[in-house]
PDB file of all heavy atoms in Angstrom:
ATOM      1  N   GLN G 136     -16.186  15.957  -3.829  1.00 83.00           N
ATOM      2  CA  GLN G 136     -15.504  16.198  -5.083  1.00 83.00           C
ATOM      3  C   GLN G 136     -16.344  15.776  -6.284  1.00 83.00           C
ATOM      4  O   GLN G 136     -17.056  14.781  -6.255  1.00 83.00           O
ATOM      5  CB  GLN G 136     -14.179  15.428  -5.114  1.00 83.00           C
ATOM      6  CG  GLN G 136     -13.259  15.738  -3.943  1.00 83.00           C
ATOM      7  CD  GLN G 136     -12.782  17.170  -3.946  1.00 83.00           C
ATOM      8  OE1 GLN G 136     -12.819  17.842  -4.961  1.00 83.00           O
ATOM      9  NE2 GLN G 136     -12.310  17.633  -2.799  1.00 83.00           N
ATOM     10  N   ILE G 138     -14.880  14.969  -9.059  1.00 91.00           N
ATOM     11  CA  ILE G 138     -14.079  13.981  -9.783  1.00 91.00           C
ATOM     12  C   ILE G 138     -13.929  12.725  -8.930  1.00 91.00           C
ATOM     13  O   ILE G 138     -14.041  12.769  -7.703  1.00 91.00           O
ATOM     14  CB  ILE G 138     -12.683  14.529 -10.162  1.00 91.00           C
ATOM     15  CG1 ILE G 138     -11.878  14.872  -8.910  1.00 91.00           C
ATOM     16  CG2 ILE G 138     -12.809  15.729 -11.072  1.00 91.00           C
ATOM     17  CD1 ILE G 138     -10.457  15.297  -9.199  1.00 91.00           C
ATOM     18  N   LYS G 139     -13.672  11.625  -9.589  1.00 94.00           N
ATOM     19  CA  LYS G 139     -13.538  10.348  -8.890  1.00 94.00           C
ATOM     20  C   LYS G 139     -12.152  10.236  -8.252  1.00 94.00           C
ATOM     21  O   LYS G 139     -11.226  10.970  -8.592  1.00 94.00           O
ATOM     22  CB  LYS G 139     -13.777   9.195  -9.860  1.00 94.00           C
ATOM     23  CG  LYS G 139     -15.170   9.189 -10.473  1.00 94.00           C
ATOM     24  CD  LYS G 139     -15.324   8.033 -11.450  1.00 94.00           C
ATOM     25  CE  LYS G 139     -16.739   7.951 -12.014  1.00 94.00           C
ATOM     26  NZ  LYS G 139     -17.086   9.109 -12.849  1.00 94.00           N
ATOM     27  N   ARG G 140     -12.026   9.298  -7.346  1.00 95.00           N
ATOM     28  CA  ARG G 140     -10.762   9.148  -6.615  1.00 95.00           C
ATOM     29  C   ARG G 140      -9.595   8.839  -7.551  1.00 95.00           C
ATOM     30  O   ARG G 140      -8.507   9.385  -7.379  1.00 95.00           O
ATOM     31  CB  ARG G 140     -10.887   8.041  -5.566  1.00 95.00           C
ATOM     32  CG  ARG G 140     -11.856   8.364  -4.427  1.00 95.00           C
ATOM     33  CD  ARG G 140     -11.767   7.318  -3.332  1.00 95.00           C
ATOM     34  NE  ARG G 140     -12.755   7.557  -2.304  1.00 95.00           N
ATOM     35  CZ  ARG G 140     -13.919   6.904  -2.202  1.00 95.00           C
ATOM     36  NH1 ARG G 140     -14.220   5.971  -3.113  1.00 95.00           N
ATOM     37  NH2 ARG G 140     -14.766   7.169  -1.238  1.00 95.00           N
ATOM     38  N   GLU G 142      -9.246   9.726 -10.542  1.00 96.00           N
ATOM     39  CA  GLU G 142      -8.922  10.959 -11.271  1.00 96.00           C
ATOM     40  C   GLU G 142      -8.139  11.913 -10.381  1.00 96.00           C
ATOM     41  O   GLU G 142      -7.179  12.565 -10.840  1.00 96.00           O
ATOM     42  CB  GLU G 142     -10.203  11.616 -11.766  1.00 96.00           C
ATOM     43  CG  GLU G 142     -10.949  10.806 -12.809  1.00 96.00           C
ATOM     44  CD  GLU G 142     -12.308  11.395 -13.151  1.00 96.00           C
ATOM     45  OE1 GLU G 142     -12.974  11.939 -12.246  1.00 96.00           O
ATOM     46  OE2 GLU G 142     -12.700  11.304 -14.329  1.00 96.00           O
ATOM     47  N   LEU G 143      -8.529  12.019  -9.122  1.00 96.00           N
ATOM     48  CA  LEU G 143      -7.820  12.885  -8.185  1.00 96.00           C
ATOM     49  C   LEU G 143      -6.368  12.445  -8.031  1.00 96.00           C
ATOM     50  O   LEU G 143      -5.450  13.275  -8.069  1.00 96.00           O
ATOM     51  CB  LEU G 143      -8.517  12.874  -6.821  1.00 96.00           C
ATOM     52  CG  LEU G 143      -7.807  13.618  -5.684  1.00 96.00           C
ATOM     53  CD1 LEU G 143      -7.626  15.097  -6.021  1.00 96.00           C
ATOM     54  CD2 LEU G 143      -8.578  13.453  -4.375  1.00 96.00           C
ATOM     55  N   ILE G 144      -6.159  11.141  -7.898  1.00 97.00           N
ATOM     56  CA  ILE G 144      -4.796  10.643  -7.716  1.00 97.00           C
ATOM     57  C   ILE G 144      -3.958  10.844  -8.975  1.00 97.00           C
ATOM     58  O   ILE G 144      -2.818  11.324  -8.908  1.00 97.00           O
ATOM     59  CB  ILE G 144      -4.801   9.165  -7.306  1.00 97.00           C
ATOM     60  CG1 ILE G 144      -5.430   8.992  -5.922  1.00 97.00           C
ATOM     61  CG2 ILE G 144      -3.385   8.588  -7.317  1.00 97.00           C
ATOM     62  CD1 ILE G 144      -4.691   9.695  -4.803  1.00 97.00           C
ATOM     63  N   THR G 145      -4.488  10.490 -10.123  1.00 97.00           N
ATOM     64  CA  THR G 145      -3.696  10.630 -11.353  1.00 97.00           C
ATOM     65  C   THR G 145      -3.420  12.105 -11.675  1.00 97.00           C
ATOM     66  O   THR G 145      -2.331  12.441 -12.138  1.00 97.00           O
ATOM     67  CB  THR G 145      -4.392   9.954 -12.541  1.00 97.00           C
ATOM     68  OG1 THR G 145      -5.740  10.427 -12.653  1.00 97.00           O
ATOM     69  CG2 THR G 145      -4.413   8.438 -12.365  1.00 97.00           C
ATOM     70  N   MET G 146      -4.399  12.979 -11.426  1.00 97.00           N
ATOM     71  CA  MET G 146      -4.164  14.415 -11.639  1.00 97.00           C
ATOM     72  C   MET G 146      -3.135  14.944 -10.642  1.00 97.00           C
ATOM     73  O   MET G 146      -2.291  15.788 -10.985  1.00 97.00           O
ATOM     74  CB  MET G 146      -5.465  15.192 -11.503  1.00 97.00           C
ATOM     75  CG  MET G 146      -6.448  14.972 -12.632  1.00 97.00           C
ATOM     76  SD  MET G 146      -7.983  15.914 -12.388  1.00 97.00           S
ATOM     77  CE  MET G 146      -8.886  15.462 -13.877  1.00 97.00           C
ATOM     78  N   GLY G 147      -3.191  14.455  -9.416  1.00 97.00           N
ATOM     79  CA  GLY G 147      -2.213  14.861  -8.416  1.00 97.00           C
ATOM     80  C   GLY G 147      -0.806  14.418  -8.780  1.00 97.00           C
ATOM     81  O   GLY G 147       0.159  15.168  -8.618  1.00 97.00           O
ATOM     82  N   LEU G 148      -0.686  13.203  -9.278  1.00 98.00           N
ATOM     83  CA  LEU G 148       0.622  12.708  -9.716  1.00 98.00           C
ATOM     84  C   LEU G 148       1.169  13.555 -10.862  1.00 98.00           C
ATOM     85  O   LEU G 148       2.370  13.857 -10.918  1.00 98.00           O
ATOM     86  CB  LEU G 148       0.516  11.249 -10.154  1.00 98.00           C
ATOM     87  CG  LEU G 148       0.155  10.229  -9.076  1.00 98.00           C
ATOM     88  CD1 LEU G 148      -0.053   8.851  -9.701  1.00 98.00           C
ATOM     89  CD2 LEU G 148       1.236  10.163  -7.998  1.00 98.00           C
ATOM     90  N   GLN G 149       0.276  13.960 -11.783  1.00 97.00           N
ATOM     91  CA  GLN G 149       0.711  14.801 -12.895  1.00 97.00           C
ATOM     92  C   GLN G 149       1.138  16.177 -12.399  1.00 97.00           C
ATOM     93  O   GLN G 149       2.114  16.754 -12.908  1.00 97.00           O
ATOM     94  CB  GLN G 149      -0.416  14.950 -13.919  1.00 97.00           C
ATOM     95  CG  GLN G 149       0.000  15.647 -15.206  1.00 97.00           C
ATOM     96  CD  GLN G 149       1.121  14.913 -15.919  1.00 97.00           C
ATOM     97  OE1 GLN G 149       1.016  13.702 -16.166  1.00 97.00           O
ATOM     98  NE2 GLN G 149       2.192  15.615 -16.250  1.00 97.00           N
ATOM     99  N   SER G 150       0.458  16.704 -11.389  1.00 97.00           N
ATOM    100  CA  SER G 150       0.846  17.999 -10.811  1.00 97.00           C
ATOM    101  C   SER G 150       2.211  17.913 -10.158  1.00 97.00           C
ATOM    102  O   SER G 150       3.026  18.846 -10.253  1.00 97.00           O
ATOM    103  CB  SER G 150      -0.200  18.450  -9.778  1.00 97.00           C
ATOM    104  OG  SER G 150      -1.430  18.730 -10.395  1.00 97.00           O
ATOM    105  N   ILE G 151       2.476  16.798  -9.497  1.00 97.00           N
ATOM    106  CA  ILE G 151       3.795  16.580  -8.896  1.00 97.00           C
ATOM    107  C   ILE G 151       4.874  16.587  -9.978  1.00 97.00           C
ATOM    108  O   ILE G 151       5.916  17.244  -9.844  1.00 97.00           O
ATOM    109  CB  ILE G 151       3.818  15.243  -8.125  1.00 97.00           C
ATOM    110  CG1 ILE G 151       3.035  15.365  -6.818  1.00 97.00           C
ATOM    111  CG2 ILE G 151       5.259  14.805  -7.837  1.00 97.00           C
ATOM    112  CD1 ILE G 151       2.956  14.066  -6.037  1.00 97.00           C
ATOM    113  N   ASP G 153       4.698  17.856 -13.070  1.00 97.00           N
ATOM    114  CA  ASP G 153       4.795  19.167 -13.714  1.00 97.00           C
ATOM    115  C   ASP G 153       5.575  20.153 -12.848  1.00 97.00           C
ATOM    116  O   ASP G 153       6.409  20.916 -13.346  1.00 97.00           O
ATOM    117  CB  ASP G 153       3.397  19.722 -14.007  1.00 97.00           C
ATOM    118  CG  ASP G 153       2.668  18.928 -15.080  1.00 97.00           C
ATOM    119  OD1 ASP G 153       3.328  18.167 -15.819  1.00 97.00           O
ATOM    120  OD2 ASP G 153       1.427  19.066 -15.176  1.00 97.00           O
ATOM    121  N   THR G 154       5.287  20.138 -11.543  1.00 97.00           N
ATOM    122  CA  THR G 154       5.993  21.032 -10.619  1.00 97.00           C
ATOM    123  C   THR G 154       7.476  20.704 -10.577  1.00 97.00           C
ATOM    124  O   THR G 154       8.334  21.599 -10.546  1.00 97.00           O
ATOM    125  CB  THR G 154       5.393  20.910  -9.208  1.00 97.00           C
ATOM    126  OG1 THR G 154       3.999  21.233  -9.250  1.00 97.00           O
ATOM    127  CG2 THR G 154       6.098  21.844  -8.231  1.00 97.00           C
ATOM    128  N   MET G 178       2.456  20.458  -1.734  1.00 96.00           N
ATOM    129  CA  MET G 178       1.178  19.803  -1.971  1.00 96.00           C
ATOM    130  C   MET G 178       0.356  19.765  -0.688  1.00 96.00           C
ATOM    131  O   MET G 178      -0.838  20.069  -0.676  1.00 96.00           O
ATOM    132  CB  MET G 178       1.406  18.380  -2.495  1.00 96.00           C
ATOM    133  CG  MET G 178       2.076  18.276  -3.838  1.00 96.00           C
ATOM    134  SD  MET G 178       1.047  18.833  -5.230  1.00 96.00           S
ATOM    135  CE  MET G 178      -0.117  17.487  -5.370  1.00 96.00           C
ATOM    136  N   GLY G 181      -1.311  22.888   0.216  1.00 93.00           N
ATOM    137  CA  GLY G 181      -2.285  23.395  -0.739  1.00 93.00           C
ATOM    138  C   GLY G 181      -1.753  24.480  -1.637  1.00 93.00           C
ATOM    139  O   GLY G 181      -2.523  25.218  -2.253  1.00 93.00           O
ATOM    140  N   GLU G 182      -0.437  24.574  -1.734  1.00 95.00           N
ATOM    141  CA  GLU G 182       0.176  25.612  -2.565  1.00 95.00           C
ATOM    142  C   GLU G 182       0.194  25.222  -4.045  1.00 95.00           C
ATOM    143  O   GLU G 182       0.448  26.073  -4.899  1.00 95.00           O
ATOM    144  CB  GLU G 182       1.604  25.878  -2.081  1.00 95.00           C
ATOM    145  CG  GLU G 182       1.668  26.413  -0.656  1.00 95.00           C
ATOM    146  CD  GLU G 182       3.081  26.491  -0.108  1.00 95.00           C
ATOM    147  OE1 GLU G 182       4.008  25.954  -0.765  1.00 95.00           O
ATOM    148  OE2 GLU G 182       3.262  27.076   0.964  1.00 95.00           O
ATOM    149  N   ILE G 183      -0.053  23.970  -4.336  1.00 94.00           N
ATOM    150  CA  ILE G 183      -0.068  23.479  -5.712  1.00 94.00           C
ATOM    151  C   ILE G 183      -1.497  23.094  -6.073  1.00 94.00           C
ATOM    152  O   ILE G 183      -2.168  22.387  -5.322  1.00 94.00           O
ATOM    153  CB  ILE G 183       0.863  22.268  -5.883  1.00 94.00           C
ATOM    154  CG1 ILE G 183       2.314  22.664  -5.572  1.00 94.00           C
ATOM    155  CG2 ILE G 183       0.761  21.689  -7.288  1.00 94.00           C
ATOM    156  CD1 ILE G 183       3.282  21.499  -5.580  1.00 94.00           C
ATOM    157  N   MET G 184      -1.953  23.548  -7.226  1.00 91.00           N
ATOM    158  CA  MET G 184      -3.311  23.245  -7.674  1.00 91.00           C
ATOM    159  C   MET G 184      -3.309  21.949  -8.477  1.00 91.00           C
ATOM    160  O   MET G 184      -2.454  21.737  -9.341  1.00 91.00           O
ATOM    161  CB  MET G 184      -3.837  24.395  -8.538  1.00 91.00           C
ATOM    162  CG  MET G 184      -5.298  24.245  -8.933  1.00 91.00           C
ATOM    163  SD  MET G 184      -6.425  24.333  -7.523  1.00 91.00           S
ATOM    164  CE  MET G 184      -6.151  26.013  -6.952  1.00 91.00           C
ATOM    165  N   VAL G 185      -4.262  21.081  -8.190  1.00 92.00           N
ATOM    166  CA  VAL G 185      -4.405  19.836  -8.928  1.00 92.00           C
ATOM    167  C   VAL G 185      -5.318  20.039 -10.120  1.00 92.00           C
ATOM    168  O   VAL G 185      -5.001  19.687 -11.254  1.00 92.00           O
ATOM    169  CB  VAL G 185      -4.956  18.714  -8.017  1.00 92.00           C
ATOM    170  CG1 VAL G 185      -5.286  17.457  -8.823  1.00 92.00           C
ATOM    171  CG2 VAL G 185      -3.947  18.391  -6.918  1.00 92.00           C
ATOM    172  N   VAL G 186      -6.490  20.599  -9.877  1.00 86.00           N
ATOM    173  CA  VAL G 186      -7.458  20.910 -10.920  1.00 86.00           C
ATOM    174  C   VAL G 186      -8.315  22.041 -10.368  1.00 86.00           C
ATOM    175  O   VAL G 186      -8.277  22.335  -9.168  1.00 86.00           O
ATOM    176  CB  VAL G 186      -8.303  19.671 -11.289  1.00 86.00           C
ATOM    177  CG1 VAL G 186      -9.237  19.274 -10.149  1.00 86.00           C
ATOM    178  CG2 VAL G 186      -9.070  19.866 -12.589  1.00 86.00           C
ATOM    179  N   ASN G 187      -9.066  22.712 -11.221  1.00 78.00           N
ATOM    180  CA  ASN G 187      -9.856  23.862 -10.776  1.00 78.00           C
ATOM    181  C   ASN G 187     -10.660  23.547  -9.519  1.00 78.00           C
ATOM    182  O   ASN G 187     -11.485  22.632  -9.497  1.00 78.00           O
ATOM    183  CB  ASN G 187     -10.815  24.297 -11.887  1.00 78.00           C
ATOM    184  CG  ASN G 187     -10.074  24.907 -13.069  1.00 78.00           C
ATOM    185  OD1 ASN G 187      -8.921  25.339 -12.931  1.00 78.00           O
ATOM    186  ND2 ASN G 187     -10.707  24.930 -14.231  1.00 78.00           N
ATOM    187  N   GLY G 188     -10.393  24.306  -8.465  1.00 78.00           N
ATOM    188  CA  GLY G 188     -11.131  24.152  -7.224  1.00 78.00           C
ATOM    189  C   GLY G 188     -10.591  23.087  -6.293  1.00 78.00           C
ATOM    190  O   GLY G 188     -11.053  22.952  -5.160  1.00 78.00           O
ATOM    191  N   ILE G 189      -9.620  22.313  -6.726  1.00 86.00           N
ATOM    192  CA  ILE G 189      -9.065  21.250  -5.898  1.00 86.00           C
ATOM    193  C   ILE G 189      -7.562  21.468  -5.758  1.00 86.00           C
ATOM    194  O   ILE G 189      -6.833  21.479  -6.743  1.00 86.00           O
ATOM    195  CB  ILE G 189      -9.328  19.861  -6.513  1.00 86.00           C
ATOM    196  CG1 ILE G 189     -10.832  19.628  -6.665  1.00 86.00           C
ATOM    197  CG2 ILE G 189      -8.706  18.764  -5.656  1.00 86.00           C
ATOM    198  CD1 ILE G 189     -11.181  18.320  -7.323  1.00 86.00           C
ATOM    199  N   THR G 190      -7.111  21.659  -4.527  1.00 88.00           N
ATOM    200  CA  THR G 190      -5.697  21.921  -4.279  1.00 88.00           C
ATOM    201  C   THR G 190      -4.945  20.630  -3.980  1.00 88.00           C
ATOM    202  O   THR G 190      -5.539  19.569  -3.771  1.00 88.00           O
ATOM    203  CB  THR G 190      -5.522  22.879  -3.081  1.00 88.00           C
ATOM    204  OG1 THR G 190      -5.953  22.209  -1.885  1.00 88.00           O
ATOM    205  CG2 THR G 190      -6.335  24.146  -3.278  1.00 88.00           C
ATOM    206  N   GLY G 191      -3.633  20.763  -3.935  1.00 93.00           N
ATOM    207  CA  GLY G 191      -2.789  19.619  -3.632  1.00 93.00           C
ATOM    208  C   GLY G 191      -3.039  19.051  -2.251  1.00 93.00           C
ATOM    209  O   GLY G 191      -2.741  17.879  -2.002  1.00 93.00           O
ATOM    210  N   LYS G 192      -3.582  19.857  -1.344  1.00 93.00           N
ATOM    211  CA  LYS G 192      -3.853  19.364   0.013  1.00 93.00           C
ATOM    212  C   LYS G 192      -4.841  18.209  -0.011  1.00 93.00           C
ATOM    213  O   LYS G 192      -4.687  17.218   0.703  1.00 93.00           O
ATOM    214  CB  LYS G 192      -4.379  20.500   0.884  1.00 93.00           C
ATOM    215  CG  LYS G 192      -4.621  20.099   2.332  1.00 93.00           C
ATOM    216  CD  LYS G 192      -5.050  21.287   3.174  1.00 93.00           C
ATOM    217  CE  LYS G 192      -5.236  20.877   4.626  1.00 93.00           C
ATOM    218  NZ  LYS G 192      -5.641  22.040   5.474  1.00 93.00           N
ATOM    219  N   THR G 193      -5.883  18.323  -0.827  1.00 92.00           N
ATOM    220  CA  THR G 193      -6.877  17.251  -0.937  1.00 92.00           C
ATOM    221  C   THR G 193      -6.225  15.981  -1.479  1.00 92.00           C
ATOM    222  O   THR G 193      -6.467  14.883  -0.978  1.00 92.00           O
ATOM    223  CB  THR G 193      -8.028  17.684  -1.854  1.00 92.00           C
ATOM    224  OG1 THR G 193      -8.640  18.860  -1.312  1.00 92.00           O
ATOM    225  CG2 THR G 193      -9.074  16.593  -1.984  1.00 92.00           C
ATOM    226  N   PHE G 194      -5.410  16.153  -2.503  1.00 95.00           N
ATOM    227  CA  PHE G 194      -4.685  15.006  -3.061  1.00 95.00           C
ATOM    228  C   PHE G 194      -3.753  14.395  -2.032  1.00 95.00           C
ATOM    229  O   PHE G 194      -3.732  13.172  -1.839  1.00 95.00           O
ATOM    230  CB  PHE G 194      -3.888  15.433  -4.292  1.00 95.00           C
ATOM    231  CG  PHE G 194      -2.761  14.495  -4.635  1.00 95.00           C
ATOM    232  CD1 PHE G 194      -3.012  13.316  -5.332  1.00 95.00           C
ATOM    233  CD2 PHE G 194      -1.450  14.776  -4.246  1.00 95.00           C
ATOM    234  CE1 PHE G 194      -1.975  12.437  -5.633  1.00 95.00           C
ATOM    235  CE2 PHE G 194      -0.421  13.904  -4.546  1.00 95.00           C
ATOM    236  CZ  PHE G 194      -0.679  12.727  -5.244  1.00 95.00           C
ATOM    237  N   PHE G 195      -2.959  15.235  -1.365  1.00 97.00           N
ATOM    238  CA  PHE G 195      -1.951  14.730  -0.437  1.00 97.00           C
ATOM    239  C   PHE G 195      -2.591  13.947   0.706  1.00 97.00           C
ATOM    240  O   PHE G 195      -2.083  12.887   1.097  1.00 97.00           O
ATOM    241  CB  PHE G 195      -1.111  15.879   0.131  1.00 97.00           C
ATOM    242  CG  PHE G 195      -0.031  15.416   1.071  1.00 97.00           C
ATOM    243  CD1 PHE G 195       1.208  15.035   0.586  1.00 97.00           C
ATOM    244  CD2 PHE G 195      -0.268  15.352   2.433  1.00 97.00           C
ATOM    245  CE1 PHE G 195       2.196  14.588   1.450  1.00 97.00           C
ATOM    246  CE2 PHE G 195       0.725  14.906   3.303  1.00 97.00           C
ATOM    247  CZ  PHE G 195       1.952  14.519   2.812  1.00 97.00           C
TER     248      PHE G 195
END
Side-chain angles (χ1 to χ4, degrees):
Q136 305 295 340
I138 62 175
K139 299 179 176 66
R140 293 189 185 100
E142 294 173 324
L143 174 60
I144 294 298
T145 53
M146 289 179 179
L148 295 174
Q149 188 59 52
S150 294
I151 286 177
D153 292 343
T154 302
M178 295 290 286
E182 297 172 350
I183 298 174
M184 186 66 64
V185 172
V186 69
N187 291 340
I189 301 177
T190 67
K192 183 176 182 179
T193 301
F194 159 81
F195 181 87

